[in-house]
Amino acid sequence: MHIDIKGLTPERIVFATSPLAELGLALHALSEPGHHPGMHGWATATASALEPDLADRLHEADFLWRHTFSDVFMAFAGIRDGSGRPGASLAEDLDVLDRMDDERYVAAALEFTCTSLYGLGAPSPLENATMRARALEMAAARGPRQVEFTQQLLTDPATVRRWVRRLFEDCDQAFFADTWQRVRVQLVADARHKTDLLRRKGLGEALAAVSPALTLDEAGTLISADKLSDGRTSAVGPGLTLIPSAFGWPHLNLLHAPGWRPVIHYPVHQPELPSAASLELLQLRMEALAHPMRMRLCRHLARSAHTTGELADTHGITAPEVSRHLAALKKAGLVLTRRRGRYVLHQLDLTTVARLGSDFLEGILR
């Protein structure tokens, strides 16, 4: 993934903290604890303390943060002619989210239905009948909750927006205010340190401190991120914001939606993971992963369950080709399969994958 920065002045590069972005990753850690070794204690304690009503409502909307990280959590980047800075509190961040126009909000909230079109500047489903039909079709492949949410959002976005804001406010009252108070000091200190590094030693040094997956070319005009996903955007007009996260590892998220301010959302620490399994089993699994397309499939299968048809559509290959790759991954014990109605869903076994080591887990989830 690449961010063009030719001609971008240092003052247009901002390190800042975002309560709303951190809430999004905290909710993701609650929904997918397998992605976040080292957070199991927090996730278990937080989930067990949730009131049943709030737990049910989080389950209803978890596709906003479980499988894909919706850009609604970084609304400051989507406000046209905005400052590119998040709010100082969750309430301020939510006020910024309220300022986002319906077309951009709906497109961001429905990213889970149109991820393969994310970087192409596809029109909003509110405005385009083809995109509306695609969103509903892809939601149907996900499940009835997704269909109901998509239908309501397309029919009455104002009501859904109020429901989502109330959900986030209730999360703040239930657990996030205390969590943010605990992690905020570390995140503010990290943002200040990186800002100082940027001013004293330049962008290359600052990026190296953010993540070894980020590099700056020799001309100082292009930031590259070592991720399995592809994408390109420009920060020359809108500027660039970098947001530290206490819940982020192993994810390195890059917001690169057309028309939005680019954002790099990076983790500030990395936990220890279990060592690999037996040599024979490790060899079998590494042979299964030797094909580059299987690595790309693993990235999607790690984030959520997918049908063969979805994977074929996303990667531009045929369904039989996907099936052959899945067969190799299943033989190595890396992929789990289950049936839901007429759909057969495949998902990566994260417990098994974690035993391959932190480099592999971070690589596919970055």
Side-chain angles (χ1 to χ4, degrees):
M1 298 186 69
H2 305 286
I3 303 174
D4 295 316
I5 59 168
K6 185 177 181 179
L8 184 68
T9 57
E11 57 268 21
R12 301 296 308 283
I13 301 173
V14 175
F15 284 90
T17 61
S18 169
L20 182 56
E22 192 70 357
L23 173 60
L25 282 176
L27 291 173
H28 173 71
L30 280 176
S31 299
E32 290 286 1
H35 286 194
H36 298 272
M39 293 291 178
H40 290 172
W42 175 88
T44 300
T46 301
S48 63
L50 291 177
E51 293 291 336
D53 174 68
L54 179 56
D56 289 344
R57 288 156 60 206
L58 289 176
H59 178 66
E60 289 176 23
D62 68 0
F63 41 82
L64 292 175
W65 55 79
R66 184 169 194 160
H67 303 147
T68 56
F69 187 70
S70 172
D71 287 342
V72 299
F73 289 105
M74 291 187 279
F76 66 89
I79 300 300
R80 305 178 198 279
D81 300 321
S83 67
R85 288 187 175 274
S89 66
L90 182 63
E92 289 185 16
D93 264 351
L94 292 175
D95 289 343
V96 173
L97 180 59
D98 286 345
R99 289 167 47 202
M100 187 181 293
D101 61 67
D102 279 347
E103 288 74 20
R104 186 162 281 190
Y105 184 102
V106 169
L110 294 181
E111 285 167 16
F112 70 94
T113 66
C114 303
T115 53
S116 63
L117 303 177
Y118 176 85
L120 303 180
S124 165
L126 281 180
E127 302 175 324
N128 185 278
T130 300
M131 289 300 298
R132 184 186 186 94
R134 177 184 174 87
L136 290 169
E137 178 185 0
M138 299 302 288
R142 296 293 183 190
R145 290 186 296 113
Q146 289 88 331
V147 172
E148 182 180 2
F149 178 87
T150 302
Q151 290 174 335
Q152 290 179 346
L153 186 60
L154 292 173
T155 303
D156 186 7
T159 297
V160 176
R161 292 180 67 156
R162 288 193 296 269
W163 185 87
V164 169
R165 172 161 185 151
R166 178 61 184 274
L167 176 64
F168 293 161
E169 290 173 336
D170 289 348
C171 287
D172 192 44
Q173 183 175 358
F175 67 90
F176 185 69
D178 291 339
T179 299
W180 178 248
Q181 188 67 24
R182 176 172 56 83
V183 303
R184 177 182 175 277
V185 174
Q186 178 191 22
L187 299 183
V188 169
D190 185 88
R192 287 175 177 169
H193 170 67
K194 299 298 194 304
T195 299
D196 182 61
L197 202 58
L198 173 66
R199 291 171 178 169
R200 290 188 298 106
K201 297 189 176 182
L203 182 57
E205 291 285 343
L207 292 175
V210 166
S211 170
L214 295 175
T215 56
L216 182 66
D217 69 344
E218 291 185 2
T221 61
L222 187 71
I223 298 172
S224 298
D226 182 21
K227 290 172 64 72
L228 285 172
S229 54
D230 296 321
R232 193 181 187 101
T233 188
S234 175
V236 176
L240 174 66
T241 302
L242 296 95
I243 306 289
S245 170
F247 285 87
W249 192 91
H251 307 300
L252 177 69
N253 294 321
L254 270 70
L255 191 164
H256 62 284
W260 290 55
R261 181 185 179 99
V263 179
I264 300 175
H265 198 190
Y266 63 92
V268 295
H269 65 82
Q270 172 179 330
E272 293 294 328
L273 287 176
S275 59
S278 68
L279 181 60
E280 181 180 358
L281 186 57
L282 178 62
Q283 182 176 348
L284 176 64
R285 288 171 177 167
M286 296 306 289
E287 287 173 354
L289 294 168
H291 196 290
M293 179 54 70
R294 290 178 200 150
M295 288 283 287
R296 298 181 70 86
L297 290 173
C298 282
R299 176 181 181 272
H300 284 81
L301 295 172
R303 294 173 181 271
S304 65
H306 289 275
T307 66
T308 300
E310 286 179 309
L311 294 169
D313 179 68
T314 299
H315 295 281
I317 60 177
T318 66
E321 287 179 290
V322 172
S323 295
R324 287 194 292 272
H325 289 307
L326 289 175
L329 294 171
K330 290 177 190 176
K331 184 177 179 181
L334 296 171
V335 167
L336 303 173
T337 298
R338 71 179 189 273
R339 179 174 291 277
R340 186 179 65 210
R342 64 189 180 93
Y343 297 103
V344 176
L345 300 174
H346 312 281
Q347 189 162 18
L348 206 64
D349 185 342
L350 289 176
T351 302
T352 298
V353 166
R355 296 196 60 82
L356 291 175
S358 59
D359 287 345
F360 178 70
L361 184 65
E362 182 176 6
I364 60 172
L365 290 177
R366 187 184 295 149

